[in-house]
Amino acid sequence: MGAEQLATANIGVVGLAVMGSNLARNLASRDGNTVAVFNRSPERTRLLTTEHPESGFVASETIEEFVSSLARPRTAIIMVQAGAGTDAVINQLSALFEPGDIIVDGGNADFHDTIRREAAVRATGVNFVGAGISGGEEGALKGPSIMPGGSVEAYTTLGPILESIAAVVDGVPCVTHVGTDGAGHFVKMIHNGIEYADMQLIAEAYDLLRQVGGHSPAAIADIFAEWNEGELESYLIEITAEVLRQVDAKTGKPFVDIVLDEAGSKGTGVWTVQNALDLGVPVGGIAEAVFARAVSSHPEQRGPVRAGITARPEIAVVGHTFHDDVRAALYASKVVAYAQGFDAIIAGAEKYNWNIDKGAIATIWRGGCIIRAQFLNRIKDAYANDSTITSLLVDPYFAQAITDGESAWRRIVSTAALSGIPVPGFSSALSYYDSLASERLPAALVQGQRDFFGAHTYKRVDMPGTFHTLWSGDRSEIETVGSSH
Ligand SMILES: NC(=O)C1=CN([C@@H]2O[C@H](COP(=O)(O)OP(=O)(O)OC[C@H]3O[C@@H](n4cnc5c(N)ncnc54)[C@H](OP(=O)(O)O)[C@@H]3O)[C@@H](O)[C@H]2O)C=CC1
Ligand SMILES: O=C(CO)[C@H](O)[C@H](O)COP(=O)(O)O
């Protein structure tokens, strides 16, 4: 590593922790690439170059050296901690980059930050691409799903290199230009929200099979492995079977029994729910998954409540088809979670003026990412058949899937309630479906209450206009000017 470097690298990676080092190795393994690498603490850089001489990295110990090692137009992918760390590296690179160069933030950035950063960097003539990258360590190395946002010009240069390192399904690379500025990180955020919901539903299925079904973790691993051969085939089901089959070497107990039952999070699920609230999109499945992790992480509340209860419900007696019912409930709830996630994408695209192709998003999520699944082919097909559908639940395939699983779904939610097993994911998904399916909702009464205490007005079912009842007067109705609010 010298002070000046020859500009031999066609791409660089800044941030060489788990994701950055694996992405750099992935890039280096593709024909024609010479990869420059830099990390704030040089120890990581040294470790990577020592352990992987085959990658032929051009390593630097200062950011200046790193920039000088890049051929023009310079392209650098940042894989550092979201937030202040990312801002620090963007500032360093923008001070040294020239118009036409490209900075890619591949971390899990808040898309509002990406919108801000893209505008600031673009003003200097440098291109900024906020790219969601999913797949964890293995995906980064072997082929992730990549969700880049930013300008079309930047994608023209960057697209081929991203396509060369992404996962490939049916010959199609799992990368697409999602839209301008923050679109890529927005879609990655929704991906993570769906990931939360999917994981929670799988965890509820496990809990039911264990507590009500009476199966051991190893037996449940076999059930999940079998489910992974059918419509539920997905990476998350596959790894769940692996986790459940694991035995703790220290105690000989199932691994799942020695792990503290307090789920952590890094924040992208919370962002999804916060933004869905702002957009007015009901994403109950994702919200329940976030809240379920929060409930689990409050032992100071769980302990005393549990200690104060003298008797728990008897576990309901179930028949031998119970695990088929759980599978059907899991599938129906999963359909709802994905439908809600795509609704949030549609609402975000509208609010932020992104031209997001829903079918293309389903396509690039089929491989490389954490929520990769066969099932995404069905979503791709649904939007190919009709890109204007108001909900995935009206697509003929999904409507039929829900109808087929509906009775089992209801049996599972009621069995769980009778047995005292928490199923916030399954039950919120069912309530959401029932809300959409109901002829009339008690929202009419809520409107009446709002009008009573706040003169917020209401609309009538039998005539146009906006009305208010004089609740504290003679209770006659008047027509009001302006719309209901
Ligand atoms: N881990 C995962 O499975 C996934 C992670 N991501 C995202 O990818 C990004 C990288 O993730 P991961 O590899 O896990 O690493 P971490 O999120 O743990 O971040 C560690 C890296 O950030 C660098 N860093 C932190 N602060 C600064 C700073 N102020 N200036 C310069 N560098 C800084 C560290 O440098 P140093 O070594 O000097 O401390 C190190 O290289 C994150 O945004 C993460 O959210 C996305 C998908 C999956
Ligand atoms: O982005 C990811 C995968 O797509 C990360 O694995 C994500 O950080 C996991 O989130 P959390 O730690 O909140 O469970």
Side-chain angles (χ1 to χ4, degrees), residues 143-227:
S145 175
I146 312 178
M147 296 148 251
S151 70
V152 174
E153 305 91 273
Y155 192 76
T156 307
T157 308
L158 188 65
I161 212 159
L162 296 183
E163 283 164 22
S164 76
I165 58 165
V168 177
V169 176
D170 298 337
V172 181
C174 294
V175 55
T176 190
H177 180 221
V178 178
T180 54
D181 52 52
H185 277 140
F186 177 84
V187 165
K188 174 69 198 316
M189 177 190 76
I190 302 293
H191 165 283
N192 282 23
I194 293 175
E195 175 184 306
Y196 272 57
D198 214 340
M199 291 166 73
Q200 174 64 24
L201 293 169
I202 293 171
E204 290 176 18
Y206 149 76
D207 205 23
L208 286 160
L209 291 169
R210 182 108 191 242
Q211 297 210 57
V212 182
H215 299 288
S216 67
I220 301 170
D222 290 342
I223 293 172
F224 277 120
E226 186 194 313
W227 289 357

Side-chain angles (χ1 to χ4, degrees), residues 111-158:
F111 77 93
H112 296 103
D113 286 341
T114 306
I115 292 174
R116 167 180 60 77
R117 289 167 179 155
E118 199 272 341
V121 173
R122 183 161 32 85
T124 69
V126 173
N127 295 293
F128 185 82
V129 172
I133 300 184
S134 180
E137 185 175 354
E138 192 186 303
L141 180 63
K142 295 182 180 160
S145 175
I146 312 178
M147 296 148 251
S151 70
V152 174
E153 305 91 273
Y155 192 76
T156 307
T157 308
L158 188 65

